[in-house]
Amino acid sequence: MGRAGELTARVKGGVYFPGDVGYDRERGGFNLALDHRPEVVVAAGAESDVVAGVRFAAEHGLALDVQSTGHGAHRSMRGGLLVTTRSLNRVEVDPRRRVARVSAGATAGDVLVATAAHGLTAPVGSAPGVGYVSYRLGGGLGMLGRRHGYAADHVRRFEIVTADGRELTVTAEQHPELFRALRGGGGNLAAVTALETTPVPLRELYGGSLFFTAERAPVVIGRFRSSLATAPRELSLSLAFLAFPDVPGVPDPLRGRFCCHLRVA
């Protein structure tokens, strides 16, 4: 059995090589500026497939990367083994204990739907398609940040695979230094197969977006600063500057314009 057969035998999901049907679909992500060209893609069909992919890469000296939704801006991958987790989108909520277990490929939208049914939410950013787990690994100062802090602050347990293929449960008591680093460190310290987090109570939310032309930015920034100085902690505001392309599908008032985007929650 060659390396291809060996890997396929270990994995419950799909294994794709260049030229295979499905290879292009699996290697791509949301950020189209990144053109990944791995030697092989493991499309995880179970959390155990992440473990199998990491161990196979370690055994054969292959570079390794793990991708959920592919929103992040980083370098394109050339060669190596890419594990994709988009199919691992399971979210389990225990409202009595106020705990949610989230698999590696679940998006912010997946988690919001699962928690909202119980009058809870898990702090996320402003885009529902972003990977929930990877958002927390980077810290995650989201739309409820002034009231509830960083998204990473609410994580209580990680289930990970180390670079040499060991499976670990990481908490404040078990491997505490690694736990602190994973909660927002963003340092590619391990492959996370799932995490456990503590949702917060939330039954009502008022929010939305306001767009201003770039010429109005100095005024908007000034009002933004003065508002935050006196606003209650329940009010979260954020600013972004966006260049909208001149393409169909972009609303006419924004199309082809550079705008100041104020987000409110």
Side-chain angles (χ1 to χ4, degrees), residues 16-265:
Y16 301 96
F17 295 87
D20 287 349
V21 175
Y23 173 81
D24 287 336
R25 180 189 69 247
E26 285 300 326
R27 69 183 177 87
F30 174 86
N31 190 341
L32 299 180
L34 300 174
D35 183 26
H36 299 309
R37 296 283 176 176
E39 179 181 333
V40 59
V41 181
V42 172
E47 291 171 12
S48 60
D49 287 350
V50 181
V51 181
V54 172
R55 288 178 176 171
F56 186 87
E59 292 165 8
H60 295 278
L62 296 172
L64 175 74
D65 206 347
V66 181
Q67 176 172 278
S68 54
T69 63
H71 272 73
H74 49 91
R75 291 183 298 176
S76 295
M77 187 178 190
R78 292 292 179 267
L81 188 152
L82 175 66
V83 178
T84 61
T85 63
R86 68 190 65 176
S87 295
L88 306 180
N89 59 354
R90 187 172 182 183
V91 181
E92 303 167 78
V93 181
D94 183 339
R96 184 182 61 80
R97 295 172 54 229
R98 218 175 81 191
V99 170
R101 184 184 183 276
V102 184
S103 295
T107 65
D110 294 328
V111 177
L112 290 176
V113 169
T115 54
H118 305 285
L120 302 169
T121 194
V124 296
S126 58
V130 169
Y132 179 89
V133 170
S134 47
Y135 182 72
R136 270 151 179 68
L137 295 177
L141 184 58
M143 295 308 297
L144 301 175
R146 276 171 59 85
R147 177 67 179 86
H148 295 292
Y150 284 94
D153 294 338
H154 300 270
V155 179
R156 50 187 284 172
R157 186 178 75 183
F158 294 97
E159 297 169 27
I160 72 165
V161 190
T162 63
D164 58 359
R166 290 178 296 141
E167 295 181 74
L168 298 178
T169 296
V170 178
T171 67
E173 292 75 35
Q174 297 173 270
H175 314 288
E177 292 185 0
L178 182 55
F179 180 69
R180 288 196 297 270
L182 286 169
R183 292 204 312 167
N188 247 1
L189 300 170
V192 177
T193 56
L195 61 74
E196 191 173 89
T197 189
T198 305
V200 297
L202 185 73
R203 294 195 176 273
E204 290 185 314
L205 174 69
Y206 297 89
S209 297
L210 297 170
F211 291 91
F212 301 87
T213 61
E215 294 78 15
R216 300 290 294 167
V219 175
V220 175
I221 292 172
R223 297 290 177 86
F224 174 78
R225 292 181 63 186
S226 60
S227 296
L228 287 181
T230 58
R233 291 180 65 87
E234 289 76 15
L235 175 65
S236 290
L237 303 173
S238 67
L239 273 180
F241 291 89
L242 303 171
F244 288 94
D246 187 4
V247 297
V250 177
D252 288 340
L254 304 176
R255 186 169 172 175
R257 305 189 72 169
F258 182 63
C259 296
C260 177
H261 180 201
L262 175 65
R263 294 172 291 203
V264 183

